[in-house]
Amino acid sequence: MENEKPIYWVGTSLKDLLALPDEVKREAGYQLHRVQNGLDPENWKPFKDIGAGVKEIRISDDGDAFRVMYVAKFLDKIYVLHSFQKKSQKTSLKDIKIAKIRYSAISNEEKL
């Protein structure tokens, strides 16, 4: 598609995504492609604890939960903040902290 927003991977978010199972990578790619074209992912929720405009893509595979946190509120880009496997019902403080630090870094760059 012509007007796809480019994806910018913050920190190790791409490396972390590539370490996940193949089916999770495929699904994450498909859902991010939807976001690039102005659509919402099929399964997502806002994650305001990280910052304004942060959303998480929710992926399940063989009973395991995976998340891709991103910000797409800018006209010309999407930032992927964090990709990880969820180990419990609640998102771990470690994963929240990683995403917050990365959000802060792009906030400084984008002057949010």
Side-chain angles (χ1 to χ4, degrees), residues 70-86:
Y70 71 95
V71 181
K73 66 181 183 176
F74 307 105
L75 274 156
D76 60 344
K77 59 184 81 163
I78 297 164
Y79 288 101
V80 175
L81 301 174
H82 193 27
S83 308
F84 59 98
Q85 180 175 359
K86 242 179 125 172

Side-chain angles (χ1 to χ4, degrees), residues 37-83:
N37 288 285
L39 302 171
D40 282 328
E42 294 172 333
N43 188 356
W44 68 277
K45 76 171 193 172
F47 212 105
K48 296 175 186 164
D49 292 351
I50 306 292
V54 175
K55 297 179 180 178
E56 70 172 5
I57 298 170
R58 301 154 53 112
I59 301 169
S60 295
D61 184 54
D62 283 338
D64 293 324
F66 301 88
R67 301 292 185 260
V68 178
M69 292 184 173
Y70 71 95
V71 181
K73 66 181 183 176
F74 307 105
L75 274 156
D76 60 344
K77 59 184 81 163
I78 297 164
Y79 288 101
V80 175
L81 301 174
H82 193 27
S83 308

